[in-house]
Amino acid sequence: MFGKSILCIVFVLLLAITYSIFIGSVDLRSSFFPMLLPPSSSAANATCASPLRVYMYDLPRRFNVGMIDRKSPDDLPVTSENLPPWPKNWGLKQQHSVEYWLMASLLHGGGGEGREAVRVLDPETAEAFFVPFFSSLSFNTHGHNMTDPATEIDHQLQIELLDFLRKSKYWQRSGGRDHVIPMTHPNAFRFLREQVNASILIVADFGRYSRSMSNLTKDVVSPYVHVVESFTDDDIPDPFENRTTLLFFRGNTVRKDEGKVRAKLAKILVGYNDVLYVRSLATTKSIQESTQGMRSSKFCLHPAGDTPSSCRLFDAIVSHCVPVIVSDQIELPFEVEIDYSRFSVFFSVKEAIQPGYMVDQLRKIPKERWMEMWRHLKNISPHYEFQYPPKKEDAANMLWRQVRHKLPSVELAVHRQKRLKVPDWWGRRRRL
């Protein structure tokens, strides 16, 4: 009798489990057969969705690669065959070269595996429009000192570009909302920036932008192009013990706005044998010294520059040196997909300038936790590589994926604008 009762209970339990699996409330695969699980939604979208169809305007070379190769005719179309390589001796200009790598990724005609965007020649089939104006390089080339007559060249290019775009029916159709314009230098497009504020801007941060112009809702935060060489052979058996410097910083300590914290940190971080805080300017030698310093340090300090972000964060990532981020206003690239708390340490400015506090907190991080962050850095660092030809999941492809995320809100804005008879009531309500 007792045996029959047991059998009945087992039968009922098996029936309940079978029914739960059938209706989807229990999934035994996650416990016993994890490899049979479907990929996560983000991974599935990344691997299964067709590439974003992007139309790239055919601008004269003076707007883009003519600033790199001045010998070619201005009206010669830019192709993958005649694309000039990014100059290796251009130093810090490299950190603002995102515009070049995005253009190059569209010019590349190689295999489509892992590509997030492909160039289409028919604008009627495009989902987004890329404006290949090297606004950051234009500032660095023509207006870096902000004095005439060089500045006027940058100004005139912006005027000509806007005239060109306003004549485009595709710009008119959306008011420029589905157009992608890179401007990662804080002074890029500085003369007429507000006249393209409806577009999807590729920015490094929002330090020089008003809230009414640029924000996370429509724009894409890009990493700077790292300046130090990537640490590709970081296979030391015990990196925690081999990285003998606790905290490393090398850079300019005279900065504006939130970056003034650097001068305060210089006074606080003295007297520690395992903390290296060095003031230096960007030269070939100092970049080499930074490369070595980051590779031999457990933590790399990233205080704000003239704007909330700087290239130093991404130098640390590709050096597999755990970033210590000190900024109250920083926005980070790819954050819809990447959890920076898994490989970074964050301090508010108020915390960082308390004598001894930051160093004490870093010393409390156990080796096991640091090793986890180091391993995660090695895994995610390929997402911050700009290269040609582009590779699956590299920085250019990651940026195009972020652009795709912005397009639904673009379509919403375009559709609403077509039927509104009076100025947008919702926008006026938010301003009241």
Side-chain angles (χ1 to χ4, degrees):
M1 191 70 179
F2 180 78
K4 289 183 178 181
S5 298
I6 294 296
L7 286 174
C8 288
I9 293 171
V10 171
F11 177 78
V12 171
L13 286 173
L14 288 173
L15 185 63
I17 292 172
T18 303
Y19 180 72
S20 297
I21 294 172
F22 179 76
I23 66 174
S25 60
V26 174
D27 189 356
L28 295 181
R29 294 176 300 170
S30 62
S31 298
F32 299 102
F33 304 101
M35 296 304 292
L36 298 180
L37 286 171
S40 65
S41 58
S42 60
N45 289 337
T47 56
C48 298
S50 58
L52 180 69
R53 299 187 303 276
V54 181
Y55 179 80
M56 180 167 62
Y57 286 105
D58 188 14
L59 295 175
R61 294 170 76 94
R62 66 180 178 275
F63 287 95
N64 40 68
V65 298
M67 301 177 216
I68 301 173
D69 173 20
R70 303 190 181 189
K71 296 180 181 179
S72 299
D74 191 43
D75 59 353
L76 177 67
V78 185
T79 66
S80 58
E81 287 75 23
N82 64 29
L83 175 71
W86 183 265
K88 293 183 179 180
N89 62 343
W90 272 18
L92 283 182
K93 285 184 180 180
Q94 177 174 312
Q95 65 181 325
H96 298 294
S97 61
V98 172
E99 52 209 14
Y100 170 88
W101 302 107
L102 286 177
M103 183 183 189
S105 72
L106 293 177
L107 289 172
H108 179 58
E113 182 181 357
R115 297 185 68 179
E116 295 293 337
V118 292
R119 184 185 186 186
V120 294
L121 300 181
D122 182 2
E124 293 293 337
T125 65
E127 299 170 273
F129 295 79
F130 181 65
V131 181
F133 173 43
F134 291 1
S135 60
S136 296
L137 184 55
S138 181
F139 172 77
N140 276 323
T141 302
H142 304 305
H144 184 68
N145 294 321
M146 296 191 182
T147 57
D148 292 334
T151 298
E152 187 54 34
I153 298 175
D154 183 31
H155 189 188
Q156 188 60 37
L157 284 174
Q158 294 171 41
I159 292 173
E160 291 179 33
L161 178 66
L162 276 171
D163 183 59
F164 173 87
L165 290 173
R166 286 168 178 158
K167 293 176 181 177
S168 165
K169 75 173 187 178
Y170 303 103
W171 177 273
Q172 297 170 11
R173 184 177 66 184
S174 69
R177 290 183 179 89
D178 54 2
H179 284 52
V180 180
I181 305 178
M183 48 178 77
T184 55
H185 193 289
N187 290 319
F189 224 118
R190 68 189 184 94
F191 292 106
L192 303 176
R193 184 184 293 169
E194 292 186 1
Q195 298 188 40
V196 295
N197 65 354
S199 299
I200 300 172
L201 307 181
I202 308 294
V203 300
D205 57 41
F206 300 108
R208 297 277 174 88
Y209 300 80
S210 66
R211 292 183 180 181
S212 61
M213 176 187 165
S214 191
N215 54 70
L216 282 174
T217 302
K218 72 176 186 68
D219 297 325
V220 173
V221 178
S222 169
Y224 286 98
V225 181
H226 63 82
V227 176
V228 306
E229 291 186 12
S230 301
F231 200 175
T232 56
D233 56 348
D234 186 10
D235 297 316
I236 300 173
D238 192 347
F240 184 84
E241 298 299 335
N242 278 278
R243 291 175 177 252
T244 54
T245 301
L246 175 71
L247 182 62
F248 175 84
F249 173 88
R250 178 183 290 276
N252 196 339
T253 58
V254 180
R255 299 281 85 176
K256 304 173 185 176
D257 302 325
E258 194 186 17
K260 292 178 181 177
V261 69
R262 293 190 182 187
K264 297 178 180 179
L265 291 172
K267 298 177 182 179
I268 293 171
L269 296 175
V270 295
Y272 295 99
N273 293 330
D274 55 355
V275 174
L276 190 60
Y277 194 95
V278 180
R279 178 183 180 181
S280 71
L281 299 176
T283 63
T284 301
K285 182 180 179 181
S286 67
I287 291 173
Q288 293 173 346
E289 291 172 343
S290 290
T291 301
Q292 193 58 40
M294 288 185 171
R295 293 183 181 186
S296 57
S297 301
K298 296 179 177 68
F299 298 96
C300 286
L301 186 60
H302 171 65
D306 286 342
T307 58
S309 186
S310 80
C311 184
R312 187 166 287 95
L313 169 60
F314 310 103
D315 288 342
I317 288 174
V318 300
S319 301
H320 310 152
C321 180
V322 174
V324 176
I325 299 174
V326 178
S327 176
D328 296 336
Q329 302 175 25
I330 193 170
E331 296 294 345
L332 298 165
F334 317 143
E335 201 163 11
V336 69
E337 300 181 51
I338 294 177
D339 180 2
Y340 282 79
S341 67
R342 296 187 64 185
F343 58 86
S344 305
V345 181
F346 293 85
F347 293 98
S348 68
V349 172
K350 183 178 179 180
E351 290 173 329
I353 61 176
Q354 293 181 35
Y357 179 79
M358 186 164 55
V359 173
D360 288 345
Q361 294 300 309
L362 294 177
R363 293 198 196 283
K364 292 178 182 178
I365 295 176
K367 177 178 180 178
E368 294 74 17
R369 170 60 181 147
W370 185 90
M371 289 293 295
E372 288 177 6
M373 292 190 284
W374 173 78
R375 282 191 287 266
H376 201 67
L377 277 169
K378 292 182 67 175
N379 289 333
I380 58 93
S381 60
H383 295 319
Y384 300 87
E385 298 291 352
F386 290 91
Q387 56 210 334
Y388 187 80
K391 294 182 180 179
K392 182 178 181 179
E393 298 290 301
D394 70 0
N397 276 301
M398 291 286 285
L399 284 173
W400 285 121
R401 194 150 77 221
Q402 309 313 304
V403 169
R404 182 192 288 272
H405 293 329
K406 305 298 180 181
L407 292 179
S409 61
V410 168
E411 293 177 1
L412 172 63
V414 171
H415 293 165
R416 291 185 72 249
Q417 192 62 36
K418 287 179 180 179
R419 52 89 172 170
L420 288 174
K421 300 297 184 181
V422 295
D424 191 342
W425 68 273
W426 182 251
R428 287 186 287 117
R429 178 183 175 184
R430 285 185 294 174
R431 288 193 292 270
L432 295 177

